Amino acid sequence: MPDLPQAPGLATAVERVSAARMLATVRELARDHYAGRRVDTPGGRAAAAWLAERLRELGAEVELDSFPVADVRELYATPVLEWSAGSEVLRLEHRRDFVEHLATADLPTPHTAPLAAASEADLHGRWVLAEDGDWAQACERAEAHGAAGVLTARGADAEGWMPKMIAGPAPRAVPIIALRADRHAHLADALAAAKVQVTASMPLRQISTDGHNVHARFSHAGGEGSGPRVLLAAHYDGVGDDPGMRLPAAADNASGVAAVLEAARVLTAGPAVRAELSVVFLDAEEAGAWGSAHHAPALPSDTLVINLDGAAHLHHAASVEAGGPAHALLATLDQAARLTGVPLRAGAMASDNRRYATAGLAAIGIGMGMPGYQTPAETPDRVEPDTLMAAARLLVAAVGLLAARTSV
């Protein structure tokens, strides 16, 4: 990366980025100790404390800010789903063959009942098989007729996993279970040929809790009034482990946290980049971006926000979404990308950046891939060092260029 006349030392700063440090952060946050880092679990709180300590080591003034979070889906036992037709009995595997539908009513213990097609007249006391994934219409009929629950279809990822989510629509009055599409089709074929009996549980409840954002301000990164007001953001929470099943959340978003932490270390290590730099590690993004919704209204209107959600596997280009008055910020990021050799493309980034943009701030969201997204396959070994390097270098260059433009 060539140095710019107005940004002396920036190339040297970019080269100080360390893949080894970032990989160590990813491995730490993906440990069993943090149990997937769901909002306000012991593991989530431990992750916040660990990150706060790392930021203090960099010389930051650190604050943990708590806020209320509602309607978090909590799977408190492993669900059961099996069906029988004549002599055929099929026991399905949670997160491979079926998952919780986020609008489900809580069904703590297995319930056995006959299966009916959604179009049948008599649904009372029966499990209802939704047609073509039309779960809402099937729920309306199931609720009206006193059915046992609804079975609907849902896709799986390329590796055959059905990713976990913890935020969704309001719960219905009946249990709803989502089967992998091919399993749903198999069940429909069995029902067309014979009577089918279904046994299922769905122990999913909604809870209200508290989230904990980790704020850090680097007063030595140029000092008050010495440069642009820049906020680097990444959410540290995950969807949390299932009972008896690890979901390490290495890509989403330990990778983004690692890159932001490393960028902050480089940017504050010397005098090359002078900006009013802050970092926030956000909680409860997976539950509905509660952390950024709480944080955004408190920021000065001239804050420039760069949010990184996923830095694990850069395919052809990083996805970038700009919101709010971000034209100049986007132009600077584009220049930083060309200087560091990171390809960019416009793409939807449904993450915390949107909360900042809605609050009227210049905000950009960046994503560089999440292999194994929200499944047990989201492990540290799938986070690529080169992608972490690309993300951290892009952040360092962008902040450096913003600081240089303000100073000239």
Side-chain angles (χ1 to χ4, degrees):
M1 170 181 167
D3 234 336
L4 299 179
Q6 69 269 34
L10 183 55
T12 301
V14 167
E15 291 305 314
R16 288 201 296 265
V17 168
S18 166
R21 270 189 294 266
M22 289 185 281
L23 287 169
T25 297
V26 171
R27 287 192 292 267
E28 173 65 29
L29 292 174
R31 284 176 51 211
D32 293 357
H33 174 66
Y34 301 103
R37 307 189 306 276
R38 202 203 75 199
V39 56
D40 206 31
T41 56
R45 293 190 297 273
W50 187 85
L51 289 168
E53 186 58 30
R54 302 291 76 73
L55 290 163
R56 290 189 185 100
E57 290 173 353
L58 298 181
E61 302 169 12
V62 180
E63 175 190 2
L64 270 69
D65 184 20
S66 298
F67 54 92
V69 181
D71 302 329
V72 179
R73 273 55 168 190
E74 180 178 69
L75 192 70
Y76 58 91
T78 302
V80 170
L81 179 60
E82 63 180 80
W83 58 268
S84 59
S87 60
E88 182 183 13
V89 178
L90 187 62
R91 293 179 177 85
L92 302 184
E93 181 182 351
H94 179 238
R95 215 154 295 289
R96 281 293 194 182
D97 301 312
F98 75 100
V99 290
E100 56 279 8
H101 191 288
L102 293 174
T104 186
D106 185 17
L107 181 62
T109 58
H111 178 80
T112 301
L115 182 66
S119 58
E120 292 186 35
D122 180 17
L123 300 180
H124 182 75
R126 305 171 77 180
W127 286 99
V128 177
L129 188 65
E131 297 175 359
D132 299 324
D134 191 355
W135 67 272
Q137 184 177 1
C139 282
E140 290 175 4
R141 296 207 68 225
E143 290 164 348
H145 291 270
V150 171
L151 306 178
T152 187
R154 182 180 141 185
D157 69 14
E159 298 171 0
W161 290 103
M162 302 180 76
K164 180 178 182 178
M165 294 175 283
I166 59 173
R172 303 295 300 241
V174 293
I176 314 167
I177 298 174
L179 281 75
R180 203 177 68 207
D182 60 330
R183 293 296 196 188
H184 186 272
H186 184 190
L187 188 54
D189 291 342
L191 181 60
K195 293 181 179 180
V196 176
Q197 197 87 346
V198 170
T199 298
S201 67
M202 187 44 66
L204 187 77
R205 60 194 171 201
Q206 292 191 81
I207 64 168
S208 294
T209 186
D210 292 308
H212 309 279
N213 288 340
V214 184
H215 302 275
R217 184 175 180 277
F218 294 91
S219 58
H220 61 283
E224 193 74 29
S226 64
R229 198 187 310 270
V230 182
L231 174 70
L232 299 182
H235 78 88
Y236 70 88
D237 65 302
V239 293
D241 289 352
D242 283 342
M245 183 181 291
R246 288 289 345 270
L247 283 87
D252 182 23
N253 188 32
S255 64
V257 168
V260 167
L261 186 63
E262 179 64 5
R265 185 195 69 81
V266 169
L267 287 164
T268 59
V273 177
R274 301 185 68 81
E276 292 185 42
L277 180 67
S278 296
V279 164
V280 63
F281 292 132
L282 297 159
D283 201 359
E285 192 271 349
E286 303 294 0
W290 289 79
S292 49
H294 172 73
H295 185 224
L299 294 176
S301 61
D302 61 345
T303 304
L304 307 174
V305 182
I306 303 176
N307 180 67
L308 181 61
D309 196 350
H313 180 69
L314 183 61
H315 294 278
H316 301 295
S319 294
V320 174
E321 177 180 301
H327 179 77
L329 177 58
L330 184 61
T332 303
L333 183 74
D334 181 67
Q335 184 182 11
R338 285 184 278 111
L339 289 171
T340 55
V342 179
L344 305 181
R345 66 174 179 84
M349 279 300 301
S351 185
D352 290 302
N353 47 284
R354 293 185 177 179
R355 297 289 197 179
Y356 293 106
T358 299
L361 302 172
I364 286 179
I366 304 172
M368 295 189 182
M370 298 177 181
Y373 175 69
Q374 294 182 350
T375 74
E378 193 185 332
T379 51
D381 60 290
R382 304 187 69 181
V383 176
E384 298 179 345
D386 288 349
T387 301
L388 289 171
M389 291 289 287
R393 285 173 169 170
L394 180 64
L395 295 178
V396 171
V399 176
L401 290 172
L402 287 168
R405 288 182 175 179
T406 304
S407 65
V408 295

PDB file of all heavy atoms in Angstrom, residues 74-81 98 100 104-112 127 148 173-177 199-206 243:
ATOM      1  N   GLU A  74     -35.707 -18.780  23.748  1.00  0.00           N
ATOM      2  CA  GLU A  74     -34.797 -19.635  24.512  1.00  0.00           C
ATOM      3  C   GLU A  74     -35.254 -21.080  24.392  1.00  0.00           C
ATOM      4  O   GLU A  74     -36.340 -21.440  24.848  1.00  0.00           O
ATOM      5  CB  GLU A  74     -34.781 -19.210  25.976  1.00  0.00           C
ATOM      6  CG  GLU A  74     -33.844 -20.061  26.827  1.00  0.00           C
ATOM      7  CD  GLU A  74     -33.799 -19.586  28.266  1.00  0.00           C
ATOM      8  OE1 GLU A  74     -34.822 -19.736  28.967  1.00  0.00           O
ATOM      9  OE2 GLU A  74     -32.753 -19.057  28.678  1.00  0.00           O
ATOM     10  N   LEU A  75     -34.412 -21.892  23.774  1.00  0.00           N
ATOM     11  CA  LEU A  75     -34.655 -23.325  23.683  1.00  0.00           C
ATOM     12  C   LEU A  75     -34.095 -23.965  24.944  1.00  0.00           C
ATOM     13  O   LEU A  75     -32.889 -23.977  25.149  1.00  0.00           O
ATOM     14  CB  LEU A  75     -33.971 -23.885  22.437  1.00  0.00           C
ATOM     15  CG  LEU A  75     -34.331 -25.306  22.018  1.00  0.00           C
ATOM     16  CD1 LEU A  75     -35.755 -25.370  21.492  1.00  0.00           C
ATOM     17  CD2 LEU A  75     -33.363 -25.796  20.954  1.00  0.00           C
ATOM     18  N   TYR A  76     -34.979 -24.477  25.823  1.00  0.00           N
ATOM     19  CA  TYR A  76     -34.520 -24.912  27.133  1.00  0.00           C
ATOM     20  C   TYR A  76     -34.406 -26.435  27.266  1.00  0.00           C
ATOM     21  O   TYR A  76     -34.028 -26.943  28.325  1.00  0.00           O
ATOM     22  CB  TYR A  76     -35.429 -24.351  28.234  1.00  0.00           C
ATOM     23  CG  TYR A  76     -36.891 -24.707  28.129  1.00  0.00           C
ATOM     24  CD1 TYR A  76     -37.393 -25.841  28.763  1.00  0.00           C
ATOM     25  CD2 TYR A  76     -37.771 -23.907  27.416  1.00  0.00           C
ATOM     26  CE1 TYR A  76     -38.736 -26.163  28.678  1.00  0.00           C
ATOM     27  CE2 TYR A  76     -39.112 -24.213  27.333  1.00  0.00           C
ATOM     28  CZ  TYR A  76     -39.597 -25.346  27.957  1.00  0.00           C
ATOM     29  OH  TYR A  76     -40.931 -25.667  27.866  1.00  0.00           O
ATOM     30  N   ALA A  77     -34.697 -27.162  26.210  1.00  0.00           N
ATOM     31  CA  ALA A  77     -34.470 -28.614  26.161  1.00  0.00           C
ATOM     32  C   ALA A  77     -34.400 -29.007  24.688  1.00  0.00           C
ATOM     33  O   ALA A  77     -34.795 -28.226  23.806  1.00  0.00           O
ATOM     34  CB  ALA A  77     -35.577 -29.373  26.880  1.00  0.00           C
ATOM     35  N   THR A  78     -33.894 -30.192  24.423  1.00  0.00           N
ATOM     36  CA  THR A  78     -33.795 -30.646  23.036  1.00  0.00           C
ATOM     37  C   THR A  78     -35.162 -31.092  22.530  1.00  0.00           C
ATOM     38  O   THR A  78     -35.805 -31.954  23.136  1.00  0.00           O
ATOM     39  CB  THR A  78     -32.808 -31.811  22.911  1.00  0.00           C
ATOM     40  OG1 THR A  78     -31.524 -31.388  23.386  1.00  0.00           O
ATOM     41  CG2 THR A  78     -32.681 -32.266  21.463  1.00  0.00           C
ATOM     42  N   PRO A  79     -35.653 -30.518  21.420  1.00  0.00           N
ATOM     43  CA  PRO A  79     -36.965 -30.920  20.895  1.00  0.00           C
ATOM     44  C   PRO A  79     -36.949 -32.342  20.369  1.00  0.00           C
ATOM     45  O   PRO A  79     -35.900 -32.911  20.043  1.00  0.00           O
ATOM     46  CB  PRO A  79     -37.207 -29.925  19.756  1.00  0.00           C
ATOM     47  CG  PRO A  79     -36.220 -28.833  19.950  1.00  0.00           C
ATOM     48  CD  PRO A  79     -35.044 -29.442  20.633  1.00  0.00           C
ATOM     49  N   VAL A  80     -38.141 -32.899  20.284  1.00  0.00           N
ATOM     50  CA  VAL A  80     -38.342 -34.264  19.787  1.00  0.00           C
ATOM     51  C   VAL A  80     -39.290 -34.206  18.595  1.00  0.00           C
ATOM     52  O   VAL A  80     -40.269 -33.451  18.606  1.00  0.00           O
ATOM     53  CB  VAL A  80     -38.948 -35.160  20.881  1.00  0.00           C
ATOM     54  CG1 VAL A  80     -39.390 -36.512  20.314  1.00  0.00           C
ATOM     55  CG2 VAL A  80     -37.966 -35.349  22.029  1.00  0.00           C
ATOM     56  N   LEU A  81     -38.988 -35.000  17.560  1.00  0.00           N
ATOM     57  CA  LEU A  81     -39.928 -35.170  16.448  1.00  0.00           C
ATOM     58  C   LEU A  81     -39.728 -36.551  15.842  1.00  0.00           C
ATOM     59  O   LEU A  81     -38.623 -36.892  15.421  1.00  0.00           O
ATOM     60  CB  LEU A  81     -39.726 -34.097  15.373  1.00  0.00           C
ATOM     61  CG  LEU A  81     -40.653 -34.198  14.157  1.00  0.00           C
ATOM     62  CD1 LEU A  81     -42.118 -34.091  14.577  1.00  0.00           C
ATOM     63  CD2 LEU A  81     -40.321 -33.139  13.121  1.00  0.00           C
ATOM     64  N   PHE A  98     -35.073 -30.981  11.501  1.00  0.00           N
ATOM     65  CA  PHE A  98     -36.139 -30.065  11.895  1.00  0.00           C
ATOM     66  C   PHE A  98     -35.582 -29.057  12.893  1.00  0.00           C
ATOM     67  O   PHE A  98     -34.556 -29.288  13.529  1.00  0.00           O
ATOM     68  CB  PHE A  98     -37.314 -30.831  12.521  1.00  0.00           C
ATOM     69  CG  PHE A  98     -37.072 -31.326  13.920  1.00  0.00           C
ATOM     70  CD1 PHE A  98     -37.586 -30.633  15.016  1.00  0.00           C
ATOM     71  CD2 PHE A  98     -36.332 -32.474  14.164  1.00  0.00           C
ATOM     72  CE1 PHE A  98     -37.362 -31.074  16.309  1.00  0.00           C
ATOM     73  CE2 PHE A  98     -36.105 -32.926  15.457  1.00  0.00           C
ATOM     74  CZ  PHE A  98     -36.627 -32.227  16.537  1.00  0.00           C
ATOM     75  N   GLU A 100     -36.985 -25.435  15.548  1.00  0.00           N
ATOM     76  CA  GLU A 100     -38.061 -24.640  16.101  1.00  0.00           C
ATOM     77  C   GLU A 100     -38.478 -23.544  15.118  1.00  0.00           C
ATOM     78  O   GLU A 100     -37.634 -22.893  14.514  1.00  0.00           O
ATOM     79  CB  GLU A 100     -37.604 -23.992  17.419  1.00  0.00           C
ATOM     80  CG  GLU A 100     -36.350 -23.143  17.318  1.00  0.00           C
ATOM     81  CD  GLU A 100     -35.035 -23.915  17.346  1.00  0.00           C
ATOM     82  OE1 GLU A 100     -35.061 -25.164  17.302  1.00  0.00           O
ATOM     83  OE2 GLU A 100     -33.977 -23.255  17.401  1.00  0.00           O
ATOM     84  N   THR A 104     -43.614 -20.437  17.287  1.00  0.00           N
ATOM     85  CA  THR A 104     -44.237 -21.571  17.944  1.00  0.00           C
ATOM     86  C   THR A 104     -44.714 -21.238  19.348  1.00  0.00           C
ATOM     87  O   THR A 104     -44.123 -20.421  20.051  1.00  0.00           O
ATOM     88  CB  THR A 104     -43.257 -22.757  18.019  1.00  0.00           C
ATOM     89  OG1 THR A 104     -43.935 -23.907  18.553  1.00  0.00           O
ATOM     90  CG2 THR A 104     -42.057 -22.452  18.904  1.00  0.00           C
ATOM     91  N   ALA A 105     -45.784 -21.896  19.764  1.00  0.00           N
ATOM     92  CA  ALA A 105     -46.150 -21.939  21.177  1.00  0.00           C
ATOM     93  C   ALA A 105     -45.240 -22.949  21.869  1.00  0.00           C
ATOM     94  O   ALA A 105     -44.707 -23.872  21.240  1.00  0.00           O
ATOM     95  CB  ALA A 105     -47.613 -22.329  21.340  1.00  0.00           C
ATOM     96  N   ASP A 106     -45.051 -22.765  23.147  1.00  0.00           N
ATOM     97  CA  ASP A 106     -44.207 -23.658  23.935  1.00  0.00           C
ATOM     98  C   ASP A 106     -44.902 -25.012  24.107  1.00  0.00           C
ATOM     99  O   ASP A 106     -46.073 -25.079  24.487  1.00  0.00           O
ATOM    100  CB  ASP A 106     -43.955 -23.021  25.308  1.00  0.00           C
ATOM    101  CG  ASP A 106     -42.984 -23.804  26.165  1.00  0.00           C
ATOM    102  OD1 ASP A 106     -42.254 -24.657  25.627  1.00  0.00           O
ATOM    103  OD2 ASP A 106     -42.951 -23.537  27.386  1.00  0.00           O
ATOM    104  N   LEU A 107     -44.180 -26.086  23.790  1.00  0.00           N
ATOM    105  CA  LEU A 107     -44.683 -27.446  24.009  1.00  0.00           C
ATOM    106  C   LEU A 107     -43.586 -28.215  24.737  1.00  0.00           C
ATOM    107  O   LEU A 107     -42.705 -28.810  24.127  1.00  0.00           O
ATOM    108  CB  LEU A 107     -45.024 -28.123  22.680  1.00  0.00           C
ATOM    109  CG  LEU A 107     -45.594 -29.546  22.764  1.00  0.00           C
ATOM    110  CD1 LEU A 107     -46.921 -29.569  23.509  1.00  0.00           C
ATOM    111  CD2 LEU A 107     -45.746 -30.140  21.368  1.00  0.00           C
ATOM    112  N   PRO A 108     -43.602 -28.204  26.076  1.00  0.00           N
ATOM    113  CA  PRO A 108     -42.456 -28.712  26.841  1.00  0.00           C
ATOM    114  C   PRO A 108     -42.252 -30.219  26.780  1.00  0.00           C
ATOM    115  O   PRO A 108     -41.127 -30.687  26.895  1.00  0.00           O
ATOM    116  CB  PRO A 108     -42.758 -28.254  28.271  1.00  0.00           C
ATOM    117  CG  PRO A 108     -44.202 -27.940  28.300  1.00  0.00           C
ATOM    118  CD  PRO A 108     -44.620 -27.568  26.922  1.00  0.00           C
ATOM    119  N   THR A 109     -43.328 -30.997  26.600  1.00  0.00           N
ATOM    120  CA  THR A 109     -43.207 -32.457  26.591  1.00  0.00           C
ATOM    121  C   THR A 109     -43.787 -33.030  25.310  1.00  0.00           C
ATOM    122  O   THR A 109     -44.665 -32.418  24.686  1.00  0.00           O
ATOM    123  CB  THR A 109     -43.929 -33.071  27.798  1.00  0.00           C
ATOM    124  OG1 THR A 109     -45.308 -32.676  27.775  1.00  0.00           O
ATOM    125  CG2 THR A 109     -43.298 -32.604  29.105  1.00  0.00           C
ATOM    126  N   PRO A 110     -43.324 -34.199  24.881  1.00  0.00           N
ATOM    127  CA  PRO A 110     -43.812 -34.766  23.623  1.00  0.00           C
ATOM    128  C   PRO A 110     -45.312 -35.035  23.640  1.00  0.00           C
ATOM    129  O   PRO A 110     -45.869 -35.506  24.631  1.00  0.00           O
ATOM    130  CB  PRO A 110     -43.018 -36.077  23.502  1.00  0.00           C
ATOM    131  CG  PRO A 110     -41.781 -35.843  24.304  1.00  0.00           C
ATOM    132  CD  PRO A 110     -42.204 -34.998  25.459  1.00  0.00           C
ATOM    133  N   HIS A 111     -45.937 -34.694  22.526  1.00  0.00           N
ATOM    134  CA  HIS A 111     -47.376 -34.913  22.346  1.00  0.00           C
ATOM    135  C   HIS A 111     -47.581 -35.775  21.103  1.00  0.00           C
ATOM    136  O   HIS A 111     -47.051 -35.461  20.035  1.00  0.00           O
ATOM    137  CB  HIS A 111     -48.104 -33.583  22.190  1.00  0.00           C
ATOM    138  CG  HIS A 111     -49.579 -33.728  21.966  1.00  0.00           C
ATOM    139  ND1 HIS A 111     -50.471 -33.972  22.998  1.00  0.00           N
ATOM    140  CD2 HIS A 111     -50.320 -33.679  20.828  1.00  0.00           C
ATOM    141  CE1 HIS A 111     -51.693 -34.056  22.515  1.00  0.00           C
ATOM    142  NE2 HIS A 111     -51.635 -33.874  21.200  1.00  0.00           N
ATOM    143  N   THR A 112     -48.358 -36.848  21.246  1.00  0.00           N
ATOM    144  CA  THR A 112     -48.619 -37.780  20.146  1.00  0.00           C
ATOM    145  C   THR A 112     -50.031 -37.593  19.647  1.00  0.00           C
ATOM    146  O   THR A 112     -50.989 -37.549  20.437  1.00  0.00           O
ATOM    147  CB  THR A 112     -48.411 -39.227  20.598  1.00  0.00           C
ATOM    148  OG1 THR A 112     -47.063 -39.392  21.062  1.00  0.00           O
ATOM    149  CG2 THR A 112     -48.666 -40.196  19.456  1.00  0.00           C
ATOM    150  N   TRP A 127     -52.022 -33.164  14.511  1.00  0.00           N
ATOM    151  CA  TRP A 127     -50.949 -32.375  13.927  1.00  0.00           C
ATOM    152  C   TRP A 127     -51.336 -32.039  12.487  1.00  0.00           C
ATOM    153  O   TRP A 127     -51.884 -32.879  11.777  1.00  0.00           O
ATOM    154  CB  TRP A 127     -49.631 -33.133  13.938  1.00  0.00           C
ATOM    155  CG  TRP A 127     -49.010 -33.229  15.297  1.00  0.00           C
ATOM    156  CD1 TRP A 127     -49.064 -34.278  16.164  1.00  0.00           C
ATOM    157  CD2 TRP A 127     -48.231 -32.213  15.946  1.00  0.00           C
ATOM    158  NE1 TRP A 127     -48.377 -33.994  17.314  1.00  0.00           N
ATOM    159  CE2 TRP A 127     -47.851 -32.727  17.216  1.00  0.00           C
ATOM    160  CE3 TRP A 127     -47.828 -30.932  15.594  1.00  0.00           C
ATOM    161  CZ2 TRP A 127     -47.082 -32.003  18.113  1.00  0.00           C
ATOM    162  CZ3 TRP A 127     -47.060 -30.205  16.487  1.00  0.00           C
ATOM    163  CH2 TRP A 127     -46.696 -30.735  17.731  1.00  0.00           C
ATOM    164  N   ALA A 148     -53.420 -29.993  17.339  1.00  0.00           N
ATOM    165  CA  ALA A 148     -52.280 -30.195  18.241  1.00  0.00           C
ATOM    166  C   ALA A 148     -51.117 -29.286  17.890  1.00  0.00           C
ATOM    167  O   ALA A 148     -50.357 -28.863  18.773  1.00  0.00           O
ATOM    168  CB  ALA A 148     -51.827 -31.643  18.190  1.00  0.00           C
ATOM    169  N   ALA A 173     -50.777 -19.507  18.856  1.00  0.00           N
ATOM    170  CA  ALA A 173     -51.416 -20.250  19.943  1.00  0.00           C
ATOM    171  C   ALA A 173     -51.153 -21.747  19.869  1.00  0.00           C
ATOM    172  O   ALA A 173     -51.557 -22.493  20.769  1.00  0.00           O
ATOM    173  CB  ALA A 173     -52.921 -19.988  19.936  1.00  0.00           C
ATOM    174  N   VAL A 174     -50.492 -22.207  18.804  1.00  0.00           N
ATOM    175  CA  VAL A 174     -50.213 -23.636  18.639  1.00  0.00           C
ATOM    176  C   VAL A 174     -48.719 -23.845  18.426  1.00  0.00           C
ATOM    177  O   VAL A 174     -48.020 -22.955  17.930  1.00  0.00           O
ATOM    178  CB  VAL A 174     -50.987 -24.235  17.440  1.00  0.00           C
ATOM    179  CG1 VAL A 174     -52.486 -24.234  17.705  1.00  0.00           C
ATOM    180  CG2 VAL A 174     -50.655 -23.488  16.147  1.00  0.00           C
ATOM    181  N   PRO A 175     -48.203 -25.015  18.782  1.00  0.00           N
ATOM    182  CA  PRO A 175     -46.807 -25.328  18.453  1.00  0.00           C
ATOM    183  C   PRO A 175     -46.602 -25.402  16.940  1.00  0.00           C
ATOM    184  O   PRO A 175     -47.491 -25.880  16.211  1.00  0.00           O
ATOM    185  CB  PRO A 175     -46.588 -26.699  19.101  1.00  0.00           C
ATOM    186  CG  PRO A 175     -47.678 -26.829  20.117  1.00  0.00           C
ATOM    187  CD  PRO A 175     -48.843 -26.077  19.579  1.00  0.00           C
ATOM    188  N   ILE A 176     -45.455 -24.930  16.492  1.00  0.00           N
ATOM    189  CA  ILE A 176     -45.102 -24.974  15.067  1.00  0.00           C
ATOM    190  C   ILE A 176     -43.682 -25.519  14.957  1.00  0.00           C
ATOM    191  O   ILE A 176     -42.768 -25.016  15.620  1.00  0.00           O
ATOM    192  CB  ILE A 176     -45.148 -23.585  14.409  1.00  0.00           C
ATOM    193  CG1 ILE A 176     -46.416 -22.830  14.791  1.00  0.00           C
ATOM    194  CG2 ILE A 176     -45.046 -23.709  12.885  1.00  0.00           C
ATOM    195  CD1 ILE A 176     -46.362 -21.355  14.419  1.00  0.00           C
ATOM    196  N   ILE A 177     -43.514 -26.527  14.120  1.00  0.00           N
ATOM    197  CA  ILE A 177     -42.204 -27.144  13.919  1.00  0.00           C
ATOM    198  C   ILE A 177     -41.860 -27.065  12.443  1.00  0.00           C
ATOM    199  O   ILE A 177     -42.702 -27.337  11.581  1.00  0.00           O
ATOM    200  CB  ILE A 177     -42.213 -28.609  14.401  1.00  0.00           C
ATOM    201  CG1 ILE A 177     -42.517 -28.651  15.899  1.00  0.00           C
ATOM    202  CG2 ILE A 177     -40.885 -29.290  14.107  1.00  0.00           C
ATOM    203  CD1 ILE A 177     -42.703 -30.037  16.452  1.00  0.00           C
ATOM    204  N   THR A 199     -45.245 -37.698  16.934  1.00  0.00           N
ATOM    205  CA  THR A 199     -44.898 -37.369  18.324  1.00  0.00           C
ATOM    206  C   THR A 199     -43.878 -36.240  18.302  1.00  0.00           C
ATOM    207  O   THR A 199     -42.848 -36.345  17.629  1.00  0.00           O
ATOM    208  CB  THR A 199     -44.313 -38.587  19.058  1.00  0.00           C
ATOM    209  OG1 THR A 199     -45.297 -39.624  19.096  1.00  0.00           O
ATOM    210  CG2 THR A 199     -43.906 -38.217  20.484  1.00  0.00           C
ATOM    211  N   ALA A 200     -44.178 -35.159  19.017  1.00  0.00           N
ATOM    212  CA  ALA A 200     -43.279 -34.007  18.952  1.00  0.00           C
ATOM    213  C   ALA A 200     -43.348 -33.183  20.225  1.00  0.00           C
ATOM    214  O   ALA A 200     -44.366 -33.153  20.917  1.00  0.00           O
ATOM    215  CB  ALA A 200     -43.632 -33.126  17.754  1.00  0.00           C
ATOM    216  N   SER A 201     -42.229 -32.523  20.521  1.00  0.00           N
ATOM    217  CA  SER A 201     -42.180 -31.492  21.557  1.00  0.00           C
ATOM    218  C   SER A 201     -41.459 -30.290  20.976  1.00  0.00           C
ATOM    219  O   SER A 201     -40.686 -30.406  20.023  1.00  0.00           O
ATOM    220  CB  SER A 201     -41.447 -31.986  22.806  1.00  0.00           C
ATOM    221  OG  SER A 201     -40.067 -32.191  22.537  1.00  0.00           O
ATOM    222  N   MET A 202     -41.696 -29.112  21.549  1.00  0.00           N
ATOM    223  CA  MET A 202     -40.983 -27.911  21.129  1.00  0.00           C
ATOM    224  C   MET A 202     -40.826 -26.993  22.340  1.00  0.00           C
ATOM    225  O   MET A 202     -41.597 -26.053  22.558  1.00  0.00           O
ATOM    226  CB  MET A 202     -41.719 -27.192  19.995  1.00  0.00           C
ATOM    227  CG  MET A 202     -40.945 -26.038  19.400  1.00  0.00           C
ATOM    228  SD  MET A 202     -39.185 -26.396  19.087  1.00  0.00           S
ATOM    229  CE  MET A 202     -39.292 -27.636  17.798  1.00  0.00           C
ATOM    230  N   PRO A 203     -39.822 -27.284  23.186  1.00  0.00           N
ATOM    231  CA  PRO A 203     -39.615 -26.519  24.420  1.00  0.00           C
ATOM    232  C   PRO A 203     -38.915 -25.177  24.160  1.00  0.00           C
ATOM    233  O   PRO A 203     -37.726 -25.005  24.424  1.00  0.00           O
ATOM    234  CB  PRO A 203     -38.750 -27.462  25.256  1.00  0.00           C
ATOM    235  CG  PRO A 203     -38.008 -28.283  24.251  1.00  0.00           C
ATOM    236  CD  PRO A 203     -38.897 -28.419  23.057  1.00  0.00           C
ATOM    237  N   LEU A 204     -39.673 -24.234  23.643  1.00  0.00           N
ATOM    238  CA  LEU A 204     -39.145 -22.914  23.297  1.00  0.00           C
ATOM    239  C   LEU A 204     -39.992 -21.858  23.993  1.00  0.00           C
ATOM    240  O   LEU A 204     -41.209 -21.829  23.838  1.00  0.00           O
ATOM    241  CB  LEU A 204     -39.194 -22.689  21.786  1.00  0.00           C
ATOM    242  CG  LEU A 204     -38.523 -21.412  21.287  1.00  0.00           C
ATOM    243  CD1 LEU A 204     -37.011 -21.563  21.271  1.00  0.00           C
ATOM    244  CD2 LEU A 204     -39.025 -21.049  19.888  1.00  0.00           C
ATOM    245  N   ARG A 205     -39.332 -21.000  24.761  1.00  0.00           N
ATOM    246  CA  ARG A 205     -40.058 -19.938  25.462  1.00  0.00           C
ATOM    247  C   ARG A 205     -39.448 -18.588  25.112  1.00  0.00           C
ATOM    248  O   ARG A 205     -38.338 -18.501  24.601  1.00  0.00           O
ATOM    249  CB  ARG A 205     -40.001 -20.162  26.973  1.00  0.00           C
ATOM    250  CG  ARG A 205     -38.591 -20.185  27.550  1.00  0.00           C
ATOM    251  CD  ARG A 205     -38.593 -20.748  28.958  1.00  0.00           C
ATOM    252  NE  ARG A 205     -37.233 -20.985  29.450  1.00  0.00           N
ATOM    253  CZ  ARG A 205     -36.939 -21.810  30.445  1.00  0.00           C
ATOM    254  NH1 ARG A 205     -37.902 -22.482  31.072  1.00  0.00           N
ATOM    255  NH2 ARG A 205     -35.685 -21.979  30.833  1.00  0.00           N
ATOM    256  N   GLN A 206     -40.179 -17.533  25.410  1.00  0.00           N
ATOM    257  CA  GLN A 206     -39.682 -16.170  25.246  1.00  0.00           C
ATOM    258  C   GLN A 206     -39.312 -15.605  26.608  1.00  0.00           C
ATOM    259  O   GLN A 206     -40.053 -15.786  27.575  1.00  0.00           O
ATOM    260  CB  GLN A 206     -40.740 -15.275  24.603  1.00  0.00           C
ATOM    261  CG  GLN A 206     -41.041 -15.627  23.167  1.00  0.00           C
ATOM    262  CD  GLN A 206     -41.881 -14.555  22.504  1.00  0.00           C
ATOM    263  OE1 GLN A 206     -41.376 -13.528  22.070  1.00  0.00           O
ATOM    264  NE2 GLN A 206     -43.169 -14.789  22.428  1.00  0.00           N
ATOM    265  N   PRO A 243     -29.203 -26.932  23.958  1.00  0.00           N
ATOM    266  CA  PRO A 243     -28.961 -27.941  24.996  1.00  0.00           C
ATOM    267  C   PRO A 243     -28.222 -29.146  24.396  1.00  0.00           C
ATOM    268  O   PRO A 243     -28.714 -29.791  23.470  1.00  0.00           O
ATOM    269  CB  PRO A 243     -30.374 -28.319  25.438  1.00  0.00           C
ATOM    270  CG  PRO A 243     -31.193 -27.105  25.145  1.00  0.00           C
ATOM    271  CD  PRO A 243     -30.628 -26.545  23.880  1.00  0.00           C
TER     272      PRO A 243
END
